[in-house]
């Protein structure tokens, strides 16, 4: 399987469906542009053929959005699931048991990672499985949280490490909430720009109208 | 419920007024107003209404969890605590609880998850289960939960304020844009009428009206996401999770 196909599959896409759709659209647009060329409508034919590139670019942008959304969801889920982890630890479970119990609260985004972590912990008692787990996320704070969890295994239920983990996790939780708020504000600001675009359309429209009038008057002379 | 009628009517009046002024035609103005009205009825008003219901339920939910934990720390018994808290239920929640008459207390608490629609509610249920089996000091054990409740309540308020601010910005900016249309229409007078005979001018004017309603719908979609009210037929299954597109696989 090709690398890009695997990447799309990891994001939950159906690579076969995508390939077929693109092939079909490519054929439709290419045949339409050939037909238009035969009727000597060169501009329109070029425009229709260019749609192929616009669709590919649009899809690339869409995949990027899905990728970001997926990464965001994974991080949000991490914050939710490790909130349970904190409660289980507080209630006297050990790290392994707490992680096992956390599996119930995961969805398809985090479950395989957690399962991997647990199976790696079975035959590797070093920090490696925790680092590997953290590497699936872009946020460096997750690595710190995972190291703190490993330290808790190492030091038993030493309250200092539990406090350290709690501190890091609260910090991480706050960062996630802040990021979510920031993203939302940015998105809303972008939507509000539509009014400027509207004003732009109006001004361009008036300019075109006035130019046409002047043109008409001059033509009349 | 008031929003259901106020917003569509406001958009109908606004669309018709600016449509008549922009296109200098009653028919086209009514078409613009009609489209705005239909979009408002089908998309905007239900979202605002649902958002109000959701935020009200979530605020009630946080209050319920907070009161429950504090009362539990005094009474140390889940059933007794629930009976005390249940007496404080009012309005929609009291009505909703009538469906659960005769159900065991623990089941009632679990079922409330469908009403409140709060992310941390399952944590609360887990906490109660652990407390029932292992006991302990409630306020100490629920420290994280209580902090989360406080944080989430504050977040709800800050999002409410953000939405209000951005909505006001949106309305003001678009009013200014339509004010430009209004002034050009009356200041150019006969010249504007001549420009209206051009098809390009009319199409671009149509694009302006279309842009406004599209931007409003997107704004509503970003602000007021539809939620999945399980067991609540009034709102249907909309899906609060990330919606999968046609290109994505259906299985999880």
């Amino acid at each position: 399987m090709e690398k890009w196909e695997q990447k799309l599959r990891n994001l939950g896409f159906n690579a076969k469906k995508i390939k077929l759709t693109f092939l079909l659209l490519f054929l439709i647009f290419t045949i339409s542009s050939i037909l238009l060329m035969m009727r000597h409508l060169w501009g329109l034919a070029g425009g229709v053929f260019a749609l192929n590139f616009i669709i590919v670019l649009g899809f690339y942008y869409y995949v990027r959005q899905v990728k970001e959304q997926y990464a965001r969801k994974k991080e949000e889920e991490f914050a939710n699931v490790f909130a349970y982890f904190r409660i289980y630890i507080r209630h006297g479970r050990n790290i392994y048991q707490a992680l096992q119990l956390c599996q119930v609260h995961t969805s398809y985004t985090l479950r395989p990672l957690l399962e991997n972590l647990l199976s790696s912990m079975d035959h590797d008692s070093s920090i490696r499985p925790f680092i590997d787990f953290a590497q699936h996320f872009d946020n460096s704070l997750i690595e710190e949280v995972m190291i703190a969890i490993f330290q808790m295994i190492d030091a038993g239920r030493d309250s200092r490490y539990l406090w350290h983990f709690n501190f890091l996790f609260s910090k991480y939780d706050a960062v996630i909430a802040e990021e979510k708020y920031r993203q939302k504000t940015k998105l809303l600001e972008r939507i509000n720009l539509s009014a400027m675009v509207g004003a732009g359309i109006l001004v361009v429209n008036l300019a075109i109208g006035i130019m046409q009038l002047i043109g008409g008057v001059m033509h009349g002379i | 419920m008031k929003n259901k009628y106020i917003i569509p009517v406001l958009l109908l009046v606004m669309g018709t007024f600016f449509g008549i002024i922009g296109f200098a035609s009653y028919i086209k103005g009514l078409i613009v107003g009609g489209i705005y009205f239909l979009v408002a009825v089908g998309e905007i008003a239900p979202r605002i209404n649902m958002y109000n219901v959701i935020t009200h339920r979530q605020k009630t939910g946080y209050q319920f969890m907070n009161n429950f934990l504090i009362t539990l720390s005094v009474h140390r018994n889940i059933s007794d605590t629930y009976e005390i808290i249940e007496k404080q239920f009012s309005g929609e929640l009291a009505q909703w609880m009538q469906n659960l008459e005769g159900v065991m207390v623990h089941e009632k608490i679990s079922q409330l998850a469908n009403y409140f629609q709060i992310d941390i509610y399952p944590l609360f249920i887990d906490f109660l289960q652990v407390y029932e089996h292992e006991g302990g000091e409630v306020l100490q054990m629920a420290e994280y939960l209580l902090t989360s409740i406080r944080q989430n309540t504050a977040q709800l308020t800050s999002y409410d304020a953000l939405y209000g601010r951005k909505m006001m910005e949106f309305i003001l900016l678009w009013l200014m844009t339509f004010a430009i249309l209004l002034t050009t229409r009356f200041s150019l007078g006969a010249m504007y009428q001549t420009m209206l005979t051009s098809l390009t001018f009319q199409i671009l004017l149509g694009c302006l009206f279309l842009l406004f309603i599209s931007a409003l719908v997107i704004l509503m979609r970003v602000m007021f996401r539809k939620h999945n009210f399980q067991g609540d037929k009034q709102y249907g299954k909309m899906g609060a999770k990330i919606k999968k597109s046609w290109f994505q696989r259906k299985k999880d």
Side-chain angles (χ1 to χ4, degrees):
Chain A
M1 197 183 291
E2 303 238 359
K3 207 178 165 189
W4 69 271
E5 268 186 57
Q6 190 54 51
K7 271 187 186 171
L8 284 176
R9 269 179 207 281
N10 290 344
L11 287 175
F13 284 100
N14 186 337
K16 211 172 168 185
K17 224 181 215 178
I18 292 168
K19 262 198 233 172
L20 275 173
T21 313
F22 274 86
L23 194 70
L24 202 72
L25 285 174
F26 180 77
L27 281 174
I28 291 171
F29 291 137
T30 312
I31 293 169
S32 316
S33 62
I34 290 169
L35 287 174
L36 286 168
M37 267 190 260
M38 281 159 73
R39 285 177 172 267
H40 302 287
L41 294 164
W42 303 103
L44 207 57
V48 171
F49 192 74
L51 279 177
N52 279 320
F53 299 101
I54 292 169
I55 285 175
V56 171
L57 278 176
F59 186 72
Y60 171 75
Y61 179 73
Y62 167 68
V63 170
R64 227 180 55 182
Q65 293 271 84
V66 171
K67 208 171 158 182
E68 276 171 21
Q69 199 183 28
Y70 187 78
R72 229 180 8 250
K73 188 175 184 281
K74 209 160 61 177
E75 280 200 20
E76 275 171 23
E77 204 174 322
F78 177 86
N80 283 339
V81 169
F82 279 77
Y84 285 102
F85 175 81
R86 202 147 85 146
I87 285 184
Y88 291 133
I89 292 288
R90 186 117 206 160
H91 294 156
R93 308 255 193 254
N94 65 35
I95 306 291
Y96 193 86
Q97 284 171 335
L99 286 173
Q100 261 182 331
L101 287 167
C102 279
Q103 275 182 297
V104 185
H105 310 289
T106 54
S107 80
Y108 68 100
T109 38
L110 203 65
R111 195 174 302 143
L113 303 183
L114 210 56
E115 277 168 3
N116 248 348
L117 174 68
L118 283 165
S119 66
S120 308
M121 277 171 76
D122 285 337
H123 45 78
D124 186 356
S125 55
S126 71
I127 196 167
R128 195 73 251 158
F130 293 89
I131 299 289
D132 287 345
F133 178 88
Q135 269 167 2
H136 288 98
F137 300 87
D138 296 328
N139 198 325
S140 59
L141 261 174
I142 293 182
E143 195 172 307
E144 285 184 49
V145 171
M146 294 314 286
I147 292 171
I149 293 174
F150 174 74
Q151 283 173 330
M152 279 159 69
I153 299 180
D154 229 23
R157 285 174 48 73
D158 189 332
S159 60
R160 271 180 310 155
Y161 289 105
L162 190 64
W163 181 85
H164 180 57
F165 167 74
N166 275 336
F167 169 74
L168 277 174
F169 190 76
S170 305
K171 195 170 137 192
Y172 173 73
D173 222 13
V175 167
I176 286 279
E178 210 173 289
E179 180 63 22
K180 249 170 109 173
Y181 187 82
R182 203 179 59 81
Q183 291 270 353
K184 197 96 179 188
T185 313
K186 221 167 90 180
L187 195 58
L188 293 173
E189 272 165 10
R190 241 184 267 168
I191 296 168
N192 281 357
L193 275 180
S194 65
M196 307 290 169
V197 177
I201 290 177
L202 200 59
V203 171
V204 169
N205 202 9
L206 285 172
I208 293 172
I210 291 168
M211 292 294 179
Q212 276 176 342
L213 274 181
I214 294 169
V217 170
M218 286 180 70
H219 188 73
I221 290 166
Chain B
M1 286 293 157
K2 276 181 203 163
N3 286 335
K4 205 174 173 182
Y5 305 103
I6 291 174
I7 292 165
V9 170
L10 266 176
L11 279 172
L12 171 75
V13 172
M14 195 211 104
T16 312
F17 176 71
F18 286 112
I20 291 172
I21 286 175
F23 288 108
S25 152
Y26 288 107
I27 296 168
K28 283 174 189 164
L30 278 170
I31 290 172
V32 172
I35 292 171
Y36 283 11
F37 180 78
L38 289 177
V39 172
V41 167
E43 184 70 27
I44 298 167
R47 273 185 191 272
I48 295 176
N49 199 28
M50 190 181 279
Y51 176 77
N52 288 335
V53 173
I54 289 167
T55 41
H56 172 73
R57 286 184 179 193
Q58 286 182 338
K59 280 175 188 165
T60 317
Y62 290 129
Q63 206 179 354
F64 167 78
M65 287 194 284
N66 200 41
N67 290 350
F68 198 101
L69 291 170
I70 291 165
T71 315
L72 185 65
S73 72
V74 177
H75 291 271
R76 300 187 165 275
N77 182 292
I78 293 176
S79 299
D80 290 350
T81 305
Y82 180 78
E83 271 162 31
I84 294 167
I85 300 288
E86 198 180 28
K87 284 176 193 153
Q88 297 165 11
F89 289 172
S90 60
E92 198 201 11
L93 178 58
Q95 236 176 353
W96 196 85
M97 287 308 290
Q98 281 174 2
N99 302 327
L100 298 176
E101 257 175 39
V103 176
M104 300 278 287
V105 168
H106 289 74
E107 185 55 29
K108 273 186 186 175
I109 296 173
S110 302
Q111 285 291 318
L112 275 170
N114 294 330
Y115 177 83
F116 293 136
Q117 298 284 317
I118 296 173
D119 287 347
I120 59 166
Y121 197 80
L123 266 178
F124 171 71
I125 297 171
D126 273 3
F127 168 81
L128 293 183
Q129 276 168 359
V130 173
Y131 176 76
E132 198 168 35
H133 290 132
E134 293 167 24
E137 184 51 52
V138 179
L139 292 182
Q140 212 174 15
M141 282 164 71
E143 187 197 336
Y144 169 73
L145 207 54
L146 285 165
T147 316
S148 293
I149 291 168
R150 250 195 322 274
Q151 277 172 351
N152 287 4
T153 314
Q155 254 178 37
L156 264 185
T157 318
S158 65
Y159 274 103
D160 264 352
L162 173 75
Y163 293 160
R165 214 168 50 239
K166 291 294 163 197
M167 193 69 212
M168 198 48 86
E169 265 176 35
F170 181 87
I171 293 170
L172 280 175
L173 287 170
W174 271 101
L175 273 179
M176 273 151 78
T177 304
F178 283 119
I180 298 173
L181 176 72
L182 211 74
T183 34
T184 44
R185 166 76 172 83
F186 292 111
S187 55
L188 292 178
M191 209 171 159
Y192 187 90
Q193 294 281 4
T194 323
M195 281 194 275
L196 265 176
T197 53
S198 155
L199 188 66
T200 323
F201 189 86
Q202 289 199 32
I203 289 172
L204 279 173
L205 206 57
C207 286
L208 175 77
F209 284 107
L210 205 66
L211 180 71
F212 167 72
I213 199 71
S214 314
L216 188 60
V217 168
I218 295 170
L219 189 79
M220 292 293 128
R221 280 174 174 250
V222 170
M223 282 182 179
F224 315 133
R225 285 187 197 285
K226 284 183 176 171
H227 282 245
N228 181 14
F229 278 82
Q230 288 158 355
D232 199 341
K233 285 180 185 164
Q234 193 187 348
Y235 295 97
K237 286 185 175 176
M238 302 297 183
K241 290 179 183 173
I242 290 177
K243 211 174 158 191
K244 285 189 171 185
S245 72
W246 187 77
F247 284 121
Q248 289 174 291
R249 281 169 291 170
K250 297 291 171 216
K251 62 174 183 182
D252 275 359

